[in-house]
Each structure stands twice: as structure tokens, then as C-alpha cells.
């Protein structure tokens, strides 16, 4: 029987067989490598890169005057990000300063009154002592003339005259004492009034400090070194206190990965274990990591409505345990990993436990 296959057909058949064999070998090698990876590693692709992403929130309300940053811009701690119109806050500060100056002037007036009344009281005190001495002298004179009158050596008119002088000096002495006591009471009244003014000064100083804080809040600065995220404000926009205005990614803290391992995978994981991390964006680049904590509960337990398996229709679902992994390496090397990136994490099943 004549051979129906030409040389070309035989060549094609050989090439096809070689390619098929090569594919089988590659698949076997890939399958073996994959199976080996599953054998020595606990791995998951349910993992994302995390950093501290904080909102920039204004502590003062008003119109935005200027915005001094752009999205994705690197900023240094203390850099001004935007400025709020501070004129109303400055006016409030000046009003409080004026009220404080008024109370301080009132305090000086009261101090002057206290000094004046103190001198007046001292003068009344001297007058009391003088009248007391006069009264003592007039009392002796009256007693002397009264004895003389009893032995008929002095007239009744003279005794009555001495009695009148004694009564006048007695009244003068009592008036001096009353004036002295009144001046002392006036001093006490002013001291009470002074304490009220001091309290008001203290209150106004606290209020002034508060107004100064409000003025300082109109300049919003970067809280730390980082990169600005989404920008949601423009000059001329009206903002309220506590309103999120922008987002900043902190460059002063570590990057980490939150890997949600199945509960059947975490039995041999320990804090300090090393891991391998591969980002979907850079599949050929390996990053090193270290386990720094394991969640005290499953991820679903922290949800708004955690599952309740006490019902009759129960279906067992494998739960996930969040594992926090710090990305090791220089900042310049790991900076390409961005918040929210998907990564694949490989944890060796046999770590050195020594």
C-alpha cells in the first residue's frame, strides 16, 4: 500500500507532538510548583495594603480664602494647607481685649479707692485717739469741779459748763469712732467689689485665650509629613466646623497589610512570623513582611450586623481572621505600595519556633 503521508505531514506531526509534550511538561512543572506552594505556605489573596489615612478637619467655620495644596502633593508637618477668613474671629478677640482692659482699669480705680480710704481711716483713727484724750481730760476736769462744787468752792454754773464741754467731747469722740468704723467698712466693700472684678478679669482672660485659639484655627496646617489625597474644597467655599475637607496619608508610620486568612489557616501562625507579599500591580517583585498581630475575633464579628447562628436554618461558613502584617524594608522601596492595593500573602507553615 502506498504511503499517504508526505514529508511535510510527518514534520508537522513531529512538531505538534513536541509542542504538546512541552506543554504537558510545563503544566506538570507549574502544577508541581503550585502544589508545593500550597504544601509549605498558607496563602491568601484576600489582603490589602493599609496606611493611616486621616481626614483634614477644620476646627473653625467660615469662608475659605486660599487653598495652598494640590491632590497627591507631598507636604511637611506644619505646612499651611488652606486659610479661612479670620476677620470675625479677630473682631471677637478685639472685643474681649477691650472688655479686659476696661476691667483692669476698674481694678486700678478700686485699688486707688482702697488706698484713699485706708489713709482716711488712718486719719479718723488719729482723730479718735485725739478725741479720746480730750474726753479723758474733760472728764477729769468735770470730776474736779464737781468735787469743788460739793464743798462750795465752785459755782453750779461752772459745773454745768464743764458738763456741756464733756458732752460735746463725748459726742465728738463717738462721731470719730463711727467715721473710722464706716471707713473700714467701705474698704471691705471695695475689697469685695475688687474680688468680683478679679473674677471677671480671669473669665475674660480665658475667653481671650479661646478667641486666640479660634484665630489660630483659621490656618489649617499639615499635622505630619505625608501626601495629600482627594481635595474637596476651593477658595470662596463656606465650610462648617468639623467638616472633612481633605485627606492625608501619613508618611511617618509603617505600611501594613491586613490579610484575611481562613480560620483553618491560622493554627500555626504566630506574632513575629515572616511572610512574603506580592502585589497584583508588581507580580514579579517580592516584599517581606512580619506578622505583628492577629485579630481577637473574626471579621464578621465586627460588622454592623454580626451573624446569629441560633436560628434553625444554619449553614456553616468558613470565617476569616484578619492578620496584620508589617511591610519591612526601606521607605523608598515600599513606597510603591499604595493604600488599598490588592496583594497575595504567603506565610510559611513551618516557622522557626526556637
Amino acid at each position: 500500500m502506498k504511503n499517504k503521508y508526505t514529508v511535510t505531514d510527518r514534520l508537522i506531526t513531529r512538531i505538534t507532538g513536541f509542542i504538546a509534550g512541552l506543554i504537558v511538561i510545563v503544566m506538570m512543572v507549574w502544577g508541581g510548583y503550585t502544589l508545593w506552594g500550597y504544601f509549605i505556605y498558607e496563602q491568601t489573596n484576600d489582603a490589602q495594603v493599609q496606611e493611616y489615612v486621616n481626614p483634614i478637619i477644620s476646627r473653625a467655620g467660615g469662608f475659605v480664602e486660599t487653598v495652598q495644596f494640590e491632590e497627591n502633593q507631598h507636604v511637611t508637618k506644619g505646612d499651611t494647607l488652606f486659610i479661612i477668613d479670620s476677620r470675625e474671629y479677630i473682631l471677637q478677640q478685639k472685643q474681649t481685649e477691650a472688655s479686659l482692659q476696661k476691667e483692669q482699669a476698674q481694678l486700678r480705680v478700686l485699688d486707688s479707692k482702697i488706698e484713699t480710704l485706708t489713709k482716711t481711716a488712718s486719719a479718723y483713727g488719729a482723730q479718735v485717739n485725739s478725741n479720746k484724750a480730750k474726753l479723758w481730760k474733760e472728764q477729769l476736769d468735770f470730776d474736779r469741779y464737781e468735787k469743788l462744787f460739793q464743798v462750795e468752792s465752785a459755782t453750779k454754773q461752772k459745773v454745768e459748763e464743764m458738763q456741756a464741754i464733756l458732752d460735746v467731747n463725748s459726742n465728738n469722740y463717738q462721731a470719730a469712732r463711727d467715721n473710722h468704723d464706716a471707713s473700714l467698712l467701705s474698704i471691705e466693700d471695695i475689697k469685695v467689689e475688687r474680688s468680683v472684678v478679679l473674677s471677671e478679669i480671669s473669665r475674660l482672660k480665658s475667653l481671650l485665650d479661646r478667641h486666640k485659639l479660634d484665630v489660630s484655627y483659621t490656618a489649617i496646617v499639615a499635622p505630619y509629613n505625608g501626601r495629600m489625597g482627594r481635595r474637596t474644597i476651593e477658595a470662596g467655599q463656606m465650610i462648617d466646623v468639623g467638616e472633612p475637607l481633605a485627606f492625608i496619608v501619613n508618611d511617618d508610620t509603617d505600611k501594613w497589610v491586613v490579610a484575611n486568612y481562613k480560620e483553618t489557616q491560622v493554627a500555626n501562625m504566630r506574632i513575629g512570623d515572616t511572610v512574603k507579599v506580592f502585589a497584583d500591580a508588581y507580580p514579579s517583585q517580592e516584599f517581606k513582611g512580619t506578622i505583628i498581630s492577629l485579630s481577637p475575633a473574626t471579621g464578621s464579628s465586627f460588622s454592623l450586623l454580626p451573624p446569629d447562628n441560633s436560628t434553625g436554618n444554619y449553614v456553616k461558613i468558613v470565617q476569616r481572621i484578619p492578620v496584620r502584617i508589617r511591610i519591612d524594608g526601606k521607605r523608598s522601596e515600599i513606597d510603591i505600595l499604595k493604600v488599598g492595593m490588592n496583594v497575595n500573602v504567603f506565610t510559611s507553615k513551618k516557622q522557626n519556633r526556637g
Side-chain angles (χ1 to χ4, degrees):
M1 183 177 179
K2 189 176 179 180
N3 189 359
K4 297 181 180 179
Y5 296 99
T6 63
V7 175
T8 302
D9 293 336
R10 289 196 296 271
L11 181 60
I12 292 174
T13 301
R14 289 177 182 177
I15 293 173
T16 304
F18 176 77
I19 293 174
L22 184 61
I23 292 174
V24 170
I25 293 172
V26 170
M27 292 297 294
M28 290 179 65
V29 171
W30 177 81
Y33 178 78
T34 301
L35 290 174
W36 176 251
Y38 279 113
F39 178 74
I40 65 172
Y41 291 108
E42 296 290 2
Q43 51 187 293
T44 182
N45 60 1
D46 186 359
Q48 292 80 34
V49 178
Q50 297 291 335
E51 280 185 271
Y52 285 112
V53 181
N54 295 320
I56 301 295
I57 297 176
S58 173
R59 300 177 69 175
F63 286 95
V64 177
E65 283 191 346
T66 58
V67 180
Q68 301 182 8
F69 74 94
E70 297 294 338
E71 289 187 357
N72 310 323
Q73 177 182 335
H74 283 266
V75 294
T76 304
K77 181 179 180 180
D79 286 351
T80 301
L81 301 179
F82 51 91
I83 298 175
I84 300 171
D85 185 359
S86 61
R87 289 175 295 179
E88 292 182 5
Y89 297 103
I90 292 175
L91 286 175
Q92 291 176 353
Q93 178 181 333
K94 289 182 177 180
Q95 289 175 354
T96 304
E97 287 175 346
S99 298
L100 179 60
Q101 291 173 358
K102 177 183 176 182
E103 294 298 325
Q104 289 173 338
Q106 179 66 19
L107 181 64
R108 291 192 292 270
V109 170
L110 293 177
D111 288 338
S112 178
K113 285 184 177 180
I114 290 175
E115 184 178 358
T116 301
L117 287 175
T118 301
K119 292 181 179 180
T120 302
S122 178
Y124 281 134
Q127 189 175 358
V128 167
N129 293 330
S130 175
N131 289 334
K132 184 177 181 181
K134 288 181 179 180
L135 180 63
W136 176 75
K137 179 180 179 300
E138 295 299 331
Q139 183 67 49
L140 292 177
D141 290 343
F142 173 77
D143 292 341
R144 186 180 304 113
Y145 276 100
E146 190 175 27
K147 289 179 180 179
L148 291 174
F149 175 73
Q150 290 176 358
V151 296
E152 298 181 353
S153 296
T155 64
K156 185 175 181 181
Q157 181 181 3
K158 188 63 177 179
V159 172
E160 292 174 348
E161 180 182 348
M162 296 305 298
Q163 178 68 51
I165 294 174
L166 178 63
D167 292 341
V168 169
N169 285 328
S170 177
N171 291 332
N172 289 338
Y173 172 67
Q174 186 61 42
R177 288 186 60 184
D178 292 342
N179 289 334
H180 182 256
D181 292 341
S183 62
L184 293 178
L185 290 174
S186 297
I187 292 175
E188 292 301 319
D189 291 342
I190 294 178
K191 285 182 178 180
V192 172
E193 186 178 352
R194 186 177 185 275
S195 65
V196 173
V197 173
L198 285 174
S199 299
E200 181 65 13
I201 288 175
S202 179
R203 186 189 71 84
L204 289 173
K205 284 182 177 180
S206 298
L207 185 60
L208 180 60
D209 290 340
R210 173 63 191 181
H211 288 322
K212 288 180 178 179
L213 274 178
D214 289 338
V215 172
S216 68
Y217 292 156
T218 59
I220 290 84
V221 299
Y224 38 70
N225 300 328
R227 290 154 294 160
M228 299 305 300
R230 187 175 58 191
R231 167 180 156 178
T232 60
I233 59 171
E234 287 293 339
Q237 180 178 340
M238 180 68 181
I239 62 174
D240 295 324
V241 177
E243 181 180 351
L245 305 174
F247 291 88
I248 184 172
V249 180
N250 193 346
D251 281 347
D252 294 335
T253 57
D254 295 326
K255 292 178 184 284
W256 70 91
V257 169
V258 176
N260 298 296
Y261 279 98
K262 296 178 182 178
E263 58 185 323
T264 55
Q265 294 179 292
V266 299
N268 295 320
M269 291 184 186
R270 300 291 185 273
I271 295 176
D273 287 354
T274 58
V275 301
K276 296 179 180 180
V277 178
F278 295 89
D280 291 356
Y282 311 102
S284 61
Q285 187 169 353
E286 178 182 322
F287 299 90
K288 297 294 184 181
T290 303
I291 295 178
I292 56 176
S293 66
L294 284 81
S295 175
T298 63
S300 61
S301 297
F302 295 114
S303 63
L304 182 61
L305 297 174
D308 184 1
N309 296 329
S310 61
T311 59
N313 299 324
Y314 168 64
V315 177
K316 184 177 181 179
I317 300 174
V318 177
Q319 298 296 310
R320 296 274 179 170
I321 306 294
V323 178
R324 183 163 173 163
I325 300 166
R326 183 184 65 246
I327 304 297
D328 299 326
K330 297 180 180 179
R331 188 77 192 189
S332 58
E333 296 174 351
I334 65 176
D335 198 48
I336 58 176
L337 295 176
K338 308 300 182 183
V339 178
M341 276 188 172
N342 290 315
V343 294
N344 297 292
V345 181
F346 297 83
T347 305
S348 177
K349 294 182 179 179
K350 296 182 179 180
Q351 298 274 347
N352 182 10
R353 305 297 181 194

